[in-house]
Amino acid sequence: MSRVGPLIRYLPWASTLPLAALGYVVSPWISLLALALFGLGVQDILQPHHAVRRNYPLTGRLRYALESIRPEIRQYFIESDDDKLPFSRHQRAMVYARSKEQNDKRGFGTIKDFYQQDAQWLAHSMRPVQTDPKNLRVWVGGTDCKQPYSMSVFNISAMSFGSLSANAIQALNKGAAKGGFAHDTGEGSMSKYHRQHGGDLVWQIASGYFGCRTADGQFDPQRFEEQAQDPQVKLIEIKISQGAKPGHGGMLPAAKVSAEIAQARGVPMGADCISPASHSAFTTPIELMAFIAQLRELSKGKPIGLKMCIGQVREWFAVVKAMLETNTTPDFIVIDGAEGGTGAAPIEFADHMGMPMRDGLRLVHNTLVGAGLRAQVRLGASGKILSAFDIARCIALGADWCNSARGFMFAIGCIQSRSCHTDACPTGVATQDPVRQRALVVPDKAERVYRYHANTIHMLSEMMGAAGLSHPSQITADLLMTRDTNNQAVPFSSKETTLEQGALLGNPEDLQRLPEPFASHWLAADASRFGVERLA
């Protein structure tokens, strides 16, 4: 009896033989099907790779079939409306409704618990005002910038052609052109699809120098100057790191380097496209400032900025010290967060590398205030930003504008299948498969991009008006309410470290009395090098 029980697991497979015999009498097709199933069972028993299939021929395959659709089962039937993995159904539904000009209102009250520790809200005024959505813009460009740009407070974050389809890039850029906001190219440079509809571009320059590189992958000043003259390019962004995989390079296999991708990036077909982890154009913070100055000159004075996810705090302080020593500053800095990430990334990097955006944003804002540089440098924020409140919260923490990647992906049809890295995106957003991307109709999705932006900006203007504000610069941490450790409602400013103007410019004794991490890292930061002390 002890042997009979375990053998029952072979019964479904073994029953295919009598089914084949019976099926031959009824229909040869049934017999052939049963024999095919028997053959699959034999293959399961003999194959060496899957223990479940060896022990459970045929029925073991059900496990892999169910596992393959587990994300869809969870998304459609199990997850709650407010379960943020990584975006909740409620958040996605909001974007879909606004992009389709549908009713985005909700009845019967909030589903959020305002008495939880992480609850946050914007304090309204007893004297609301009318706020014009057209005023929700900010000028980007410091004293050395000759071509400043009027930036919307909500823009499309960096996503490359190659990671996104040609149709997705066209839809995003066409929507940006109609709505008058900026579209970041991502590190894959400017393709013909970015240029086709004339939307304003933020040209991102990463460690691979795509679009402005020599044959051996070094920065090419002449090629950069030619590209930077394009009137569609409004800002130029040096990518130091990204939230999805900070400090990690990348490779696009040769098989995926199509003629269009090769042309946009300036790389040969038939060879792997490498993005090194580090830049070769500079190796120290001082050299980074020289690179910024070089790009500003070559671009004829267009705004030059940085994009980074904060890692080692001392290195960020070294960059600020380099600004002070060289009297050169970027026109803007975009702070990405560890919670960001449209690109594929190793699990350990996605889950355990990089500072979350709000912490990084607050640190960068405070550092620039303490160094007396905040008025010269605009700050952007990127990382899980979808709604008007997300934008208001980031501005309260120190940002001048916000970027969104996945929000605009939802607007053009993304369903959060989380298959971006497989080239099998079901909606044609994140794929190079020409058949799959055909599903994404550019004129329709471009209109959704425009509507999502316009309706989000309109909602932000209404929130600001309710708070008695007329311009985003008036949103401060004093108006952002949260709960302290005693569960009391307090302004966010009471919980956060805040530096006074010029506080980092004092003598060493005063600096040692500053709050952390400034007290322990500012004096140790060195503008002549990145990194920490290493053993010989």
Side-chain angles (χ1 to χ4, degrees):
M1 184 66 183
S2 61
R3 291 181 176 272
V4 174
L7 290 177
I8 292 176
R9 65 178 182 265
Y10 295 105
L11 184 60
W13 167 60
S15 65
T16 57
L17 281 179
L19 180 62
L22 179 63
Y24 186 76
V25 177
V26 178
S27 169
W29 292 109
I30 295 178
S31 181
L32 288 173
L33 176 61
L35 288 173
L37 291 173
F38 181 81
L40 283 176
V42 172
Q43 183 188 58
D44 287 342
I45 292 174
L46 297 179
Q47 59 82 32
H49 303 296
H50 301 285
V52 171
R53 285 167 55 193
R54 283 173 68 89
N55 275 333
Y56 298 87
L58 289 187
T59 54
R61 291 174 177 263
L62 290 173
R63 183 232 183 223
Y64 300 101
L66 291 172
E67 187 180 55
S68 69
I69 61 172
R70 178 182 178 276
E72 287 79 9
I73 292 174
R74 188 183 190 285
Q75 180 177 358
Y76 293 124
F77 302 110
I78 298 175
E79 73 174 11
S80 71
D81 286 345
D82 209 32
D83 192 2
K84 299 180 180 180
L85 293 173
F87 291 94
S88 69
R89 180 177 293 276
H90 170 65
Q91 289 175 303
R92 301 194 306 270
M94 177 197 67
V95 177
Y96 297 148
R98 289 182 178 171
S99 66
K100 298 175 185 179
E101 208 71 74
Q102 295 175 347
N103 187 353
D104 64 345
K105 308 300 187 292
R106 186 177 59 207
F108 218 66
T110 182
I111 60 174
K112 293 184 177 296
D113 183 356
F114 278 101
Y115 296 95
Q116 288 186 342
Q117 193 71 49
D118 62 347
Q120 296 176 352
W121 63 94
L122 190 67
H124 67 278
S125 170
M126 296 178 69
R127 189 173 176 81
V129 299
Q130 289 291 325
T131 302
D132 188 348
K134 295 179 181 178
N135 291 336
L136 305 190
R137 306 188 72 88
V138 58
W139 281 99
V140 181
T143 55
D144 296 325
C145 176
K146 298 178 182 177
Q147 300 185 53
Y149 176 66
S150 177
M151 191 86 161
S152 170
V153 295
F154 191 43
N155 305 278
I156 302 172
S157 196
M159 295 179 285
S160 299
F161 169 56
S163 60
L164 295 194
S165 69
N167 285 12
I169 293 295
Q170 287 189 71
L172 291 170
N173 195 257
K174 187 173 183 178
K178 182 174 181 179
F181 53 98
H183 177 194
D184 195 311
T185 66
E187 70 174 278
S189 192
M190 295 175 286
S191 68
K192 63 181 182 181
Y193 302 110
H194 288 95
R195 304 176 192 268
Q196 190 165 339
H197 300 287
D200 292 348
L201 293 177
V202 180
W203 181 22
Q204 187 180 94
I205 309 295
S207 56
Y209 305 113
F210 300 128
C212 57
R213 58 186 268 139
T214 61
D216 61 351
Q218 303 299 302
F219 175 69
D220 185 340
Q222 181 178 353
R223 181 62 178 143
F224 171 84
E225 185 174 13
E226 293 170 357
Q227 294 269 63
Q229 300 308 309
D230 190 329
Q232 201 174 337
V233 175
K234 302 301 182 182
L235 299 93
I236 295 157
E237 178 182 86
I238 305 168
K239 189 184 88 167
I240 307 298
S241 59
Q242 67 183 83
K245 47 185 176 182
H248 192 283
M251 181 186 75
L252 191 65
K256 292 187 176 181
V257 182
S258 66
E260 293 174 328
I261 290 175
Q263 189 277 331
R265 299 192 179 198
V267 298
M269 287 187 63
D272 294 335
C273 180
I274 306 295
S275 296
S278 298
H279 279 262
S280 58
F282 56 88
T283 57
T284 69
I286 293 287
E287 291 177 359
L288 172 57
M289 294 305 112
F291 188 53
I292 290 172
Q294 180 186 17
L295 298 192
R296 187 176 285 132
E297 180 179 358
L298 291 172
S299 67
K300 304 297 187 289
K302 291 187 176 181
I304 309 296
L306 305 175
K307 175 184 177 177
M308 65 177 72
C309 175
I310 298 297
Q312 296 177 19
V313 174
R314 188 179 300 182
E315 290 191 335
W316 158 242
F317 288 168
V319 170
V320 178
K321 283 192 170 182
M323 296 180 197
L324 294 170
E325 289 187 21
T326 62
N327 198 30
T328 299
T329 59
D331 295 290
F332 65 93
I333 300 175
V334 174
I335 303 303
D336 204 2
E339 66 271 43
T342 54
I347 294 297
E348 290 82 358
F349 276 76
D351 289 350
H352 304 291
M353 291 290 286
M355 186 179 290
M357 181 268 291
R358 295 178 212 166
D359 300 290
L361 174 61
R362 199 64 181 165
L363 174 69
V364 170
H365 170 75
N366 267 317
T367 309
L368 293 174
V369 170
L373 299 173
R374 183 62 182 88
Q376 302 174 42
V377 183
R378 297 295 191 187
L379 293 183
S382 173
K384 296 193 76 172
I385 296 169
L386 294 186
S387 71
F389 177 74
D390 294 335
I391 299 171
R393 175 171 55 195
C394 287
I395 294 175
L397 297 180
D400 293 297
W401 82 83
C402 293
N403 296 334
S404 176
R406 287 170 288 187
F408 284 99
M409 287 178 70
F410 291 142
I412 59 175
C414 171
I415 60 172
Q416 194 172 279
S417 67
R418 306 186 74 183
S419 57
C420 309
H421 59 296
T422 67
D423 203 38
C425 172
T427 59
V429 176
T431 179
Q432 295 304 302
D433 184 331
V435 176
R436 287 182 176 271
Q437 66 175 290
R438 179 181 174 277
L440 197 159
V441 179
V442 173
D444 175 67
K445 298 303 188 288
E447 192 66 22
R448 292 188 186 185
V449 169
Y450 164 73
R451 290 171 182 167
Y452 169 51
H453 177 271
N455 287 324
T456 302
I457 288 292
H458 176 75
M459 186 53 60
L460 177 61
S461 71
E462 290 202 344
M463 290 188 72
M464 290 174 50
L469 311 175
S470 59
H471 191 268
S473 61
Q474 297 172 318
I475 305 175
T476 66
D478 292 326
L479 298 177
L480 182 63
M481 302 297 293
T482 186
R483 293 194 176 277
D484 62 14
T485 54
N486 296 319
N487 211 34
Q488 298 296 311
V490 296
F492 201 87
S493 56
S494 67
K495 296 181 60 176
E496 291 294 300
T497 298
T498 302
L499 291 191
E500 297 294 329
Q501 179 76 10
L504 294 174
L505 305 178
N507 57 58
E509 292 76 16
D510 292 335
L511 293 174
Q512 290 173 357
R513 290 192 287 269
L514 292 176
E516 293 294 352
F518 301 97
S520 59
H521 290 298
W522 177 257
L523 286 174
D526 186 346
S528 66
R529 62 181 175 85
F530 290 111
V532 297
E533 292 290 348
R534 294 174 174 83
L535 297 176

